[in-house]
Amino acid sequence: MKIPISWLRDYVDLPESIEEMAEKLSFSGLEVEEIIEVGAALKGIITGKIEEISPHPDADRLVVTQVNDGSKRIQIVTGATNISVGDIVPVSPPGAVLSNGMKIKVSKLRGIESSGMLCSEAELGVADEADGIWILPTNTPVGVDFIDYAQLKESLLDIAILPNRGDCQSIIGTARECATLLNLPLKRPEFKLNESKAETAVDLNSKSADCPLYSLRELSSCSLNKTPLWMQRRLELCGIRPIQLFVDITNYVLLEFGQPLHAFDTNSLKGTSISIENIIASSTFKALDGQAYTLEKDDLVICDESGPIAIAGVMGGKSTEVTENTTSVSLEAAYFDPIRVRKTGTRLRLRTESATRFEKSVDIEGVIEAANRASYLFQTLAGATVKNINVFKSEKDPLFKEKLLNFDPEGINKLLGTTYERKDIQETLESLGFKINGDTLVVPSFRQHDISELPCIAEEIARLKGMENIPSTLPQGPSLKASQLASFEFDQLIQNTLCARGFSEVNTFPMVSEKSFKKAGLPIEGTLHIANPISQDESVMRTQLFVSLLERLSFNRRRQQKDCHFFEIGKAFNESIKPHFEDKRLCVVASGTYFKEAYTETSRQENTYSIFHMKGLLEGLFSDHSISFDSNDSRTFLHPKKQCSILNNEGQIIGFIGTLHPNVASEFDVSDDTVVAEISFLSLDLAPKFPSYQSVSKFPTIKRDLALLAPKELSYGDIKSFLLANKPKLVTDIQLFDVFESDQLGEDKKSIAITFTYENKEASLTDDEVNKSHQDLRTLISEKLPVSIR
Amino acid sequence: MEKEILELKDNYINSIDNVNGLSELDLIKSKVLGKNGELTRFLKQVSSLPPEKRPVMGQLVNKAKSEIMAILSAKQSKLEHARLHSKLSKDGTDASLPGISVKKGHLHPISLVIREIVTLFDRFGFTVKEGPDIESEEFNFEALNIGKDHPARDMHDTFYLTNKQLLRTHTSPVQIRTMLNEKPPLRILAPGKVYRYDADTSHSPVFHQIEGLYVDKNVTLADLKGTLTTFLHSFFGQDYDVRFRSSYFPFTEPSVEVDVKWNDPGSKLHGKWFEVMGAGLVQREVFRQTKIDPDLYTGFAFGMGIERLAMLKYQINDIRLLYENDSRLLKQF
């Protein structure tokens, strides 16, 4: 909310410099986001009266005016079309400066001399844009310093009002806070209302608990005078556009007191009774803004005998709007339930000045005062006859009762960690408007909404006494730490290992585009969609991490960063994942060269990452988790021959590794040697394994090699599982040491060479027992596998 | 004879000293110590001497022999070493060629900041808790005292999923999950991604927060101040001023915002205050919602934006750079 300092000074004698006060406000909960200096550049603007307008001899779109500047006539050429002889307007003579810093000089426009400019509101920094020259009220004196007269220079406090401080959504509310903080008296506006004897002849009735207080007052014989400049200026400074006097008065009091008011055209009200009620069945309502809104059950409305005439606290209706023909205004001042107003306003997307105040609660004790203040302004500015106010009040509503809390200085100190004296605490609370009788605390009506328990009171003490005066202590309890969360430590281990292996961590958005799914050929079924995405690029929750990482590879490639080895530990999402629709995963991608500089034969050969490097990497990372690999061709986004599923120790698929399918690589615009791996942590036990020691053998091992000539289609995986299942007891390790194909072997054959390690932990092995055992193995292999031993 | 032996010894020692090659040394060796070597001859002569002279002469010859042998073997290892060195020196290896190594990998700056925070709070006994990104209205809002029609919902522009769940707008639901499942005393830290429907360029729809919660008997606002000040001094520097401003969050009361004053005379930021976190004492209503007795326990909670801390600490000026993942940026961390 924007607070003009000069307005604030009406109610509290602020010190000259406002910086210090702004800081005090910020520390105590009213955050001053900015001190805005309006019209800082302006210089030398005066008021002038247009006495003559004649056409420009050489330009159709320009006119030549003679302007009385209070002492002489000056000639000004202008392109404005909204001026007439007799208008009083702001003038910037030579030497004046406009709000954008432009300095005015004598100039010639199409050959005619022009000694300055007639100014619009935009040029004076009063409005963001303007249709023409600013025509001032006819009673504006001519030849005066207009900057001073119209308060064109002003400092504004831009305050972020927190949701619990509805009481500060007004100039007086802010002034009250300033007065308390600076220990100064608050000067409430003084005015004397002359009420006529006449009654506001209407029958008021609230049928809803959402409206415990409703008042209406007829202001008759109103003249729609021009809104005084000072009022226009204040509205504009606070960001409200002046419209016409009657509306401007209600807005002025809304800003001043924080109490929204509504002005009905009395003559367009049907019948003599007004009721406030919750809608029973949905209906359409045409509001002030000309739009039709659908009201739903429970929305609170004000009705005359024809039906709803206003959405309570949100917006008035078109049919009873005040217009230029209005001569009698019925002024509404009421208290509407905050939640009710918020529900309706939010649903209809009508975040009006009125709604934002009601939803943070207005001061129920201030409603009538605000009505009187507005009536006074109608009386003085529009010449209105003020009739008696008609008030409906649900006397039994708890809002009218004083809110009482226990006064517990000890409890406050205990919560804050302070040792303030009882008297000190009492005085501080009293300065905020609380009353204290013994052990009872009376909450002021304007704070009823947010003060409910001891911590609320403690907060008031903390902020008023200054946060800087709260001591700094460290918690006294014993350290609870047993061990860090296992999965967090596991993540760190993975991160550290991968970094050491040359992979850099990326961090990507979990929502992706449907297009990314299509590019990867992933099914869109079962995915979670965002109901209200900002853009289609981020509208679906990813089901696989690699999609995000491929996008990052592609991004880097477009920036000539082709050698990228990336990983991310992140979440993937799917409707079917229990219990939270998500699982944490690791995704690793490798693209381009691996070594920093590869200038030797062997390093050049090893310089691109193959799926075997990737497999080895994962085997190392997950060596405690008994993962295994199953080669297959089930994933269409991967090369059919270069992919494996990753299985957990129960044989369930928890991920994959593979080289990207060339089509997918080209869709994402990444290199087609890109190798990808993804593994879900969901089913893995990430707790660190407690090492269990096995004694090491004192006896030497014996190694025996075997070279098998196998058909090409027989996979090593199958041979290995056969060997693991059938190996002699003494074999403790089986290692592959060569695989090759050659013309001599034949087109459909390959050679596989394996080392078997024989070991006996109890005794020395003899050649005889190893030979025998190895011979048995050879026999078994030749019999059971379609291979020959070379 | 005695004189001859000593002369022979001195001659050979002299000539061994002058030898330059191993083959030459071998030659000398056989000449003096070989089967028919000169010293061997003397040794043979000893046996033909009268018995009383034998021991003296025998000793003399053996002494000469061992002296020559010692010098021979020293010379031999010296020459062998020289030969190996000269052979190795001819190896054409250029040791100034670069190392063959993989490029170094780097942690993302967001992870770096999370790790640092977790490590610092580790000292206060806080352990990490994780929670889901997809949350319910109940845990993200209602249990945190943000009812459906609470104006504080304006502070949370929420992404909803088509299955009626939402993407958590803060890490605070982890507080609720923890308090529902565990009994005080509690000291937890919850890092993670959060989501806000915030389309302007200085915000990101996805960012990271870290949430802290400490619940025990007699926890005070002073404890909050002390803990967070100690943390911020460790994170930014002892000479960074820290200040607390009164604020409002529905799930804490009293609530504060915490600012840090940049202290680096070389930086554009020097002397400016930056808001780094929100905090407060846990709302009694939140305790009631999680079945913890608010008359018995108090606690404090805090939350901070990781990106903001990372951007301040590493002087990164645009939040979006953190998600582009340009390898030239990543390399710097």
Side-chain angles (χ1 to χ4, degrees), chain B residues 64-241:
Chain B
K65 188 181 170 184
S66 64
E67 272 179 47
I68 290 169
M69 275 175 72
I71 284 171
L72 257 174
S73 104
K75 184 71 183 187
Q76 180 163 1
S77 66
K78 195 175 160 193
L79 288 174
E80 275 171 357
H81 187 80
R83 188 171 69 175
L84 183 63
H85 183 74
S86 114
K87 188 181 153 206
L88 294 179
S89 300
K90 286 186 190 119
D91 187 323
T93 302
D94 173 4
S96 74
L97 285 171
I100 299 174
S101 71
V102 297
K103 294 155 196 151
K104 188 180 176 309
H106 304 264
L107 277 181
H108 195 279
I110 287 172
S111 293
L112 281 175
V113 171
I114 291 177
R115 277 192 182 195
E116 189 174 349
I117 295 169
V118 169
T119 307
L120 292 172
F121 276 99
D122 199 307
R123 297 177 194 162
F124 296 113
F126 285 67
T127 48
V128 171
K129 290 279 172 196
E130 291 172 339
D133 289 20
I134 296 182
E135 267 295 358
S136 61
E137 287 262 345
E138 192 199 338
F139 283 1
N140 194 74
F141 291 125
E142 270 132 55
L144 286 158
N145 199 30
I146 315 173
K148 211 173 192 57
D149 298 295
H150 197 294
R153 287 248 177 150
D154 289 352
M155 296 157 120
H156 296 252
D157 294 313
T158 312
F159 282 114
Y160 289 91
L161 296 177
T162 43
N163 70 353
K164 304 289 174 218
Q165 301 283 303
L166 52 81
L167 295 175
R168 66 175 174 192
T169 59
H170 47 183
T171 40
S172 309
V174 184
Q175 282 186 33
I176 302 299
R177 292 180 174 277
T178 307
M179 287 193 278
L180 282 173
N181 289 321
E182 293 169 37
K183 289 296 140 217
L186 297 169
R187 293 183 200 186
I188 63 147
L189 212 53
K193 281 191 164 69
V194 298
Y195 305 78
R196 300 268 175 103
Y197 186 100
D198 220 335
D200 83 68
T201 53
S202 64
H203 293 88
S204 167
V206 181
F207 58 101
H208 297 73
Q209 279 187 344
I210 200 159
E211 184 89 3
L213 174 71
Y214 174 41
V215 180
D216 205 345
K217 287 172 184 159
N218 303 319
V219 179
T220 67
L221 190 64
D223 291 340
L224 176 156
K225 266 190 82 176
T227 307
L228 296 185
T229 305
T230 308
F231 159 69
L232 288 168
H233 280 160
S234 312
F235 187 82
F236 285 106
Q238 292 298 332
D239 48 0
Y240 277 61
D241 289 341

Side-chain angles (χ1 to χ4, degrees), chain A residues 1 35 127 268 363 398 426 432 449 488 545 579 596 608 614 763:
Chain A
M1 185 184 178
I35 299 175
S268 56
D363 176 8
Q426 175 161 349
L432 282 162
H449 193 61
F488 184 77
L545 253 60
K596 211 151 56 181
T608 43
M614 189 64 90

Side-chain angles (χ1 to χ4, degrees), chain B residues 225-294:
Chain B
K225 266 190 82 176
T227 307
L228 296 185
T229 305
T230 308
F231 159 69
L232 288 168
H233 280 160
S234 312
F235 187 82
F236 285 106
Q238 292 298 332
D239 48 0
Y240 277 61
D241 289 341
V242 175
R243 71 180 184 191
F244 293 77
R245 280 180 294 112
S246 180
S247 189
Y248 171 79
F249 304 104
F251 39 94
T252 53
E253 186 152 31
S255 302
V256 293
E257 271 173 350
V258 191
D259 302 337
V260 160
K261 190 179 189 181
W262 204 256
N263 187 2
D264 172 9
S267 158
K268 276 191 300 209
L269 309 181
H270 183 64
K272 287 187 183 155
W273 286 97
F274 292 92
E275 185 186 318
V276 290
M277 63 167 110
L281 297 184
V282 180
Q283 252 281 353
R284 290 166 68 90
E285 186 54 32
V286 174
F287 279 143
R288 285 184 207 113
Q289 295 263 353
T290 52
K291 312 278 183 277
I292 290 176
D293 182 356

Side-chain angles (χ1 to χ4, degrees), chain A residues 713-734:
Chain A
E713 66 275 8
L714 180 64
S715 78
Y716 174 71
D718 289 343
I719 297 174
K720 177 88 185 261
S721 22
F722 174 82
L723 293 174
L724 285 174
N726 296 289
K727 68 179 176 62
K729 233 194 237 154
L730 291 174
V731 171
T732 53
D733 193 25
I734 299 173

Side-chain angles (χ1 to χ4, degrees), chain A residues 263-529:
Chain A
F264 296 104
D265 179 311
T266 310
N267 297 328
S268 56
L269 296 175
K270 305 283 182 294
T272 56
S273 72
I274 294 286
S275 71
I276 301 94
E277 48 197 80
N278 296 98
I279 290 263
I280 295 165
S282 77
S283 62
T284 305
F285 178 74
K286 194 167 182 194
L288 271 177
D289 60 3
Q291 304 287 317
Y293 293 93
T294 305
L295 298 176
E296 286 174 7
K297 188 176 176 299
D298 294 337
D299 282 340
L300 189 67
V301 289
I302 317 302
C303 300
D304 66 5
E305 284 173 12
S306 71
I309 52 170
I311 310 170
V314 179
M315 195 177 266
K318 192 77 188 164
S319 66
T320 53
E321 181 185 24
V322 291
T323 65
E324 56 203 26
N325 302 320
T326 302
T327 54
S328 173
V329 166
S330 286
L331 184 73
E332 166 200 285
Y335 179 95
F336 299 123
D337 180 65
I339 290 179
R340 172 57 51 212
V341 172
R342 181 168 170 89
K343 270 190 176 154
T344 304
T346 307
R347 196 191 72 243
L348 300 177
R349 293 176 193 270
L350 283 171
R351 314 285 289 138
T352 55
E353 294 280 347
S354 164
T356 52
R357 283 178 176 77
F358 277 121
E359 69 179 34
K360 289 179 188 165
S361 183
V362 299
D363 176 8
I364 201 160
E365 298 295 340
V367 173
I368 302 302
E369 192 193 5
N372 288 339
R373 172 68 170 166
S375 303
Y376 169 77
L377 292 171
F378 269 94
Q379 189 168 57
T380 50
L381 301 177
T385 303
V386 176
K387 295 194 181 174
N388 273 339
I389 193 161
N390 191 340
V391 180
F392 171 89
K393 188 173 175 186
S394 301
E395 293 287 356
K396 274 181 269 172
D397 195 285
L399 281 169
F400 293 110
K401 282 208 200 86
E402 280 188 328
K403 191 167 189 176
L404 304 177
L405 295 176
N406 195 19
F407 179 51
D408 177 11
E410 204 182 309
I412 290 168
N413 278 324
K414 195 173 172 223
L415 197 62
L416 299 180
T418 50
T419 51
Y420 293 126
E421 302 281 337
R422 182 186 176 97
K423 186 167 161 278
D424 199 2
I425 291 176
Q426 175 161 349
E427 281 169 7
T428 305
L429 289 172
E430 281 167 349
S431 77
L432 282 162
F434 290 84
K435 288 190 201 104
I436 289 148
N437 306 316
D439 286 338
T440 307
L441 191 71
V442 186
V443 179
S445 63
F446 53 89
R447 297 298 300 276
Q448 272 203 23
H449 193 61
D450 78 301
I451 303 283
S452 56
E453 288 192 84
L454 177 93
C456 312
I457 311 289
E459 179 167 65
E460 294 303 301
I461 298 300
R463 69 186 191 89
L464 262 295
K465 301 296 291 176
M467 285 292 168
E468 70 278 11
N469 294 320
I470 305 283
S472 264
T473 53
L474 288 178
Q476 295 303 306
S479 169
L480 301 169
K481 191 172 163 67
S483 60
Q484 189 50 278
L485 183 72
S487 75
F488 184 77
E489 300 232 295
F490 185 71
D491 290 354
Q492 293 201 8
L493 181 72
I494 298 271
Q495 287 171 326
N496 292 346
T497 312
L498 284 171
C499 282
R501 298 281 210 103
F503 287 82
S504 286
E505 188 185 32
V506 295
N507 196 314
T508 62
F509 285 6
M511 54 265 226
V512 296
S513 65
E514 260 189 52
K515 215 171 109 201
S516 297
F517 274 74
K518 285 212 185 85
K519 288 200 284 191
L522 293 172
I524 200 86
E525 295 77 41
T527 55
L528 291 158
H529 286 251

Side-chain angles (χ1 to χ4, degrees), chain A residues 183-201:
Chain A
N183 201 14
L184 294 168
L186 177 71
K187 304 178 291 180
R188 298 187 73 87
E190 281 174 27
F191 55 89
K192 184 152 175 14
L193 188 62
N194 289 318
E195 274 183 292
S196 77
K197 296 260 157 54
E199 295 284 330
T200 300

